[in-house]
Amino acid sequence: MPEGRQTAAWFNKVTQIDNSELQQFIAKYVELCNPDKVFVCSDSDEDIEYIRESAIRNGEESKLAIDGHTIHFDAYYDQARDREHTNILVPKGVDLGSAVSTKDRDEGLREIHEILKDIMKGKELYIHFFCLGPTKSEFSIPCVQLTDSSYVAHSEDLLYRPGYTEFVRQGSSARFFKFVHSQGELDERKVSKNLDKRRVYIDIDNDTVYSTNTQYGGNTIGLKKLAMRLAINRAAKEGWLTEHMLIMGIHGPRNRLTYFTGAFPSLCGKTSTAMLDGETIVGDDIAYIRKKNGEVRAVNVEKGLFGIIMGVNSKDDPSQWKALHNPNEIIFSNVLVTEDKHVHWIGKDGNTPHRGYNHSGEWFIGKKDDRGREIQCSHPNARFTFDLKVLDNLDPKLDDPFGVLVGGIVYGGRDSDTYVPVEESFDWAHGIITKGASLESESTAATLGKEGVREFNPMSNLDFLSVSIGKYVQCNLDFGKDLNKLPLIFSVNYFLKDREGKFVNEKTDKKVWYKWMELRVHNEVDFIETPTGRIPKYEDLERLFKEVLNKDYTQEEFDKQFTIRIPENLAKIDRIKRIYETQVSDTPKIVFEVLDEQRQRLNRARKKYGDYISPYKL
Ligand code: SPV
Ligand code: MN
């Protein structure tokens, strides 16, 4: 580290934080990446305004017609998380199993440090401090982000709590996460050029993540899915949980508020569930969950949304719709921008404009890409980023340092033929195993590859695991021990279809499932026991459909939706068992036992009632 740099004015802002590890880390990467300029962002409005302005000045964002709205584009082939080049760095001899994507630590560190050398020449480096989870809390994890992208820095301002003051407060005791990101060389559209050198390497031994030659938020916003891998590892060591979960408050009778967390793979309705009309949102993506005095408490790691915009419309998503049309601070990414600087996306109200500008450059209806595929007006993974405070339905406990008390945990995937729309598990282990650890989701037209292929995704956390699957499932099982009051575990399925391939539910029906679950948490409704869990009684749903949606719910609908499909359930058990047998060498024994018990219950019921069992028979 040349002396001149250490004594530079910006470094004084760093030395206000009494933490030598932090100072050494920053010095090392300033030296290696070699930016022309360094900007250290404190929590002041002035500093944050500088980041906002930089994003416009650098051309990473452009202003839109509505005040506060900006648009950012990622390269045409940089529109989603790069699973292939995202690796956990593991020392020799460490085995996380075949499902977790790893790379030799020494080799990975050597490669990434070569890529980072001089990568910021001619650029400005932003050094930014944040806090994962609420500040001044047992949940807080301070983080430092180094990035040469003002878009990334700006996004993080919207998504995370400020951390400079928190770093000063924690001083040398801070156990922080570190992120180094460079978007690399940009082309004339200000998008990353060297995608062949796109890398996301997670060094869990050093709580550091490196990300290069990419801009897409899931690869670059260090505190999101990159920090999640570090936190999963830390949580596994310390006996708490880092989950890919929303947190929401469901409003029950007599002004009662009951909090739920919920895990859903991408494109399975997670954000729209978190934003359910009439309920309150704490978070839509990542939760830290801890035990406190025998209770389960959860916080939103974030304070903003990086949400999928495809399909957002005024009827199904009134609160998102409203927020997206007000003069709030919003970064749109990879949507269509028209000549008058308005935005459009797939599934928005109204007609698609004939032309405009999108992630492919100048766009017109029918445009094809270099592989001959038609380009839609926006990318299916196009997103919006805003601070939760712009929402009317924000839960007042967002920043509570003690988190919220968790009454129920929900797991849901895209499942056309197996699980009923809502079902409670018999107990903690049954829920963790048959609902969380058995979660699968079918691919959609919006994801790459074939449609309708089931992907195994335990707790919807597979992409983010930094411990083996077996260990992760064991941590979830262990978490249920020594609790005075266990949250109930449920599965939901918004995507069940009938024999003709038609969805058996409307989008809004999910409101009723959550009201039913809320009543179950307080034991205020009864249930029907099935071989796979506990389902609602018709009378209760009939009443709730009337109360919540003013809908007449028929016995035929109930019968169709809640029929237990034995062959499909048995096939699922076979699939899941095979995965755990062949791909997860450290599967806890109880996983097989609980799956076998479920199989036996299903077989017994099949003998008595046949393949498809109406809930009226049970
Ligand atoms: C998801 O895909 O689960 C997201 C977006 O929340 S990303 O930041 O890409 O992970
Ligand atoms: Mn997510």
Side-chain angles (χ1 to χ4, degrees), residues 577-600:
K577 203 176 153 208
R578 203 158 40 243
I579 292 171
Y580 279 101
E581 272 166 1
T582 58
Q583 293 177 32
V584 186
S585 61
D586 57 350
T587 303
K589 219 170 97 232
I590 187 173
V591 170
F592 297 120
E593 290 165 5
V594 167
L595 290 176
D596 277 339
E597 284 163 16
Q598 182 122 319
R599 187 211 313 273
Q600 284 163 22

Side-chain angles (χ1 to χ4, degrees), residues 437-452:
S438 301
L439 198 61
E440 296 173 296
S441 199
E442 291 159 16
S443 55
T444 70
T447 52
L448 297 179
K450 260 172 87 182
E451 211 176 320

Side-chain angles (χ1 to χ4, degrees), residues 225 244 270 285:
K225 295 309 195 326
H244 191 200
K270 186 149 142 247
D285 200 28

Side-chain angles (χ1 to χ4, degrees), residues 559-572:
D559 192 27
K560 195 176 206 179
Q561 293 164 8
F562 286 90
T563 284
I564 304 298
R565 306 175 180 203
I566 305 266
E568 286 82 355
N569 267 283
L570 288 170
K572 179 177 170 95

Side-chain angles (χ1 to χ4, degrees), residues 245-482:
M245 283 180 175
L246 61 82
I247 308 174
M248 66 192 301
I250 299 293
H251 297 237
R254 302 171 297 281
N255 290 325
R256 182 173 65 205
L257 195 49
T258 308
Y259 290 95
F260 283 78
T261 64
F264 300 77
S266 293
L267 285 164
C268 286
K270 186 149 142 247
T271 302
S272 61
T273 301
M275 297 278 251
L276 217 55
D277 206 17
E279 314 299 349
T280 48
I281 175 171
V282 181
D284 87 321
D285 200 28
I286 309 169
Y288 290 161
I289 307 177
R290 283 177 179 267
K291 290 190 262 198
K292 197 88 198 152
N293 305 324
E295 290 178 346
V296 175
R297 312 218 46 117
V299 297
N300 182 5
V301 167
E302 315 180 282
K303 68 152 174 87
L305 295 190
F306 177 58
I308 293 185
I309 204 160
M310 181 173 72
V312 172
N313 65 69
S314 59
K315 181 172 158 272
D316 298 324
D317 315 280
S319 16
Q320 285 176 80
W321 182 263
K322 187 170 164 214
L324 291 172
H325 288 81
N326 280 341
N328 295 313
E329 187 177 352
I330 304 176
I331 310 172
F332 291 87
S333 55
N334 307 314
V335 296
L336 181 73
V337 179
T338 54
E339 212 180 334
D340 58 356
K341 300 275 178 258
H342 285 282
V343 291
H344 198 84
W345 57 81
I346 305 167
K348 187 184 177 179
D349 301 27
N351 296 328
T352 306
H354 288 248
R355 52 186 60 252
Y357 194 87
N358 72 4
H359 58 296
S360 73
E362 293 295 340
W363 177 86
F364 48 90
I365 288 184
K367 182 177 176 186
K368 295 212 163 70
D369 68 13
D370 56 6
R371 296 177 190 174
R373 288 175 310 203
E374 182 158 345
I375 305 169
Q376 291 180 277
C377 70
S378 64
H379 192 276
N381 196 30
R383 297 203 170 233
F384 61 86
T385 304
F386 59 58
D387 190 309
L388 281 164
K389 71 177 181 218
V390 309
L391 293 172
D392 297 337
N393 57 335
L394 177 59
D395 192 271
K397 289 218 167 133
L398 170 67
D399 289 318
D400 191 324
F402 300 103
V404 297
L405 175 64
V406 180
I409 297 175
V410 180
Y411 294 102
R414 197 173 274 270
D415 167 6
S416 59
D417 62 7
T418 310
Y419 277 8
V420 291
V422 62
E423 184 179 60
E424 180 189 328
S425 56
F426 297 123
D427 56 40
W428 183 265
H430 179 250
I432 292 294
I433 293 165
T434 66
K435 307 215 179 283
S438 301
L439 198 61
E440 296 173 296
S441 199
E442 291 159 16
S443 55
T444 70
T447 52
L448 297 179
K450 260 172 87 182
E451 211 176 320
V453 178
R454 285 189 180 89
E455 281 188 27
F456 168 66
N457 195 347
M459 284 79 172
S460 91
N461 226 349
L462 184 62
D463 283 354
F464 315 112
L465 290 188
S466 51
V467 295
S468 65
I469 297 180
K471 184 168 177 185
Y472 171 67
V473 172
Q474 187 66 56
C475 289
N476 270 269
L477 288 165
D478 290 346
F479 191 79
K481 291 177 185 153
D482 326 312

Side-chain angles (χ1 to χ4, degrees), residues 102-274:
T102 60
K103 194 176 178 72
D104 177 74
R105 182 167 184 262
D106 293 340
E107 205 184 296
L109 287 176
R110 196 176 324 112
E111 184 193 1
I112 202 77
H113 283 80
E114 266 164 33
I115 296 177
L116 285 170
K117 176 131 186 57
D118 293 326
I119 200 167
M120 298 184 189
K121 227 172 164 171
K123 303 223 185 130
E124 180 164 15
L125 163 66
Y126 307 95
I127 301 178
H128 224 151
F129 303 90
F130 295 101
C131 184
L132 291 170
T135 54
K136 299 187 190 142
S137 152
E138 196 187 336
F139 290 95
S140 317
I141 300 180
C143 294
V144 58
Q145 169 86 60
L146 275 53
T147 179
D148 58 10
S149 162
S150 42
Y151 157 71
V152 167
H154 182 198
S155 300
E156 288 181 328
D157 265 325
L158 295 172
L159 292 170
Y160 302 97
R161 287 131 176 139
Y164 184 78
T165 317
E166 186 67 16
F167 259 102
V168 173
R169 188 179 75 85
Q170 294 198 14
S172 59
S173 68
R175 291 174 59 232
F176 56 101
F177 290 164
K178 305 172 274 257
F179 305 93
V180 184
H181 166 250
S182 172
Q183 53 193 348
E185 228 184 305
L186 303 181
D187 70 9
E188 63 291 348
R189 300 184 61 219
K190 303 293 175 196
V191 300
S192 293
K193 214 167 146 178
N194 303 321
L195 298 183
D196 58 321
K197 292 212 167 57
R198 179 169 57 197
R199 299 286 182 276
V200 178
Y201 286 171
I202 298 122
D203 182 13
I204 41 180
D205 284 2
N206 202 9
D207 277 341
T208 308
V209 185
Y210 306 92
S211 156
T212 60
N213 295 297
T214 170
Q215 292 167 306
Y216 170 68
N219 297 324
T220 60
I221 297 172
L223 282 84
K224 203 169 195 42
K225 295 309 195 326
L226 313 189
M228 197 163 157
R229 280 118 168 160
L230 299 177
I232 286 174
N233 186 262
R234 187 180 280 188
K237 285 185 187 140
E238 297 177 352
W240 49 282
L241 298 175
T242 296
E243 295 300 317
H244 191 200
M245 283 180 175
L246 61 82
I247 308 174
M248 66 192 301
I250 299 293
H251 297 237
R254 302 171 297 281
N255 290 325
R256 182 173 65 205
L257 195 49
T258 308
Y259 290 95
F260 283 78
T261 64
F264 300 77
S266 293
L267 285 164
C268 286
K270 186 149 142 247
T271 302
S272 61
T273 301

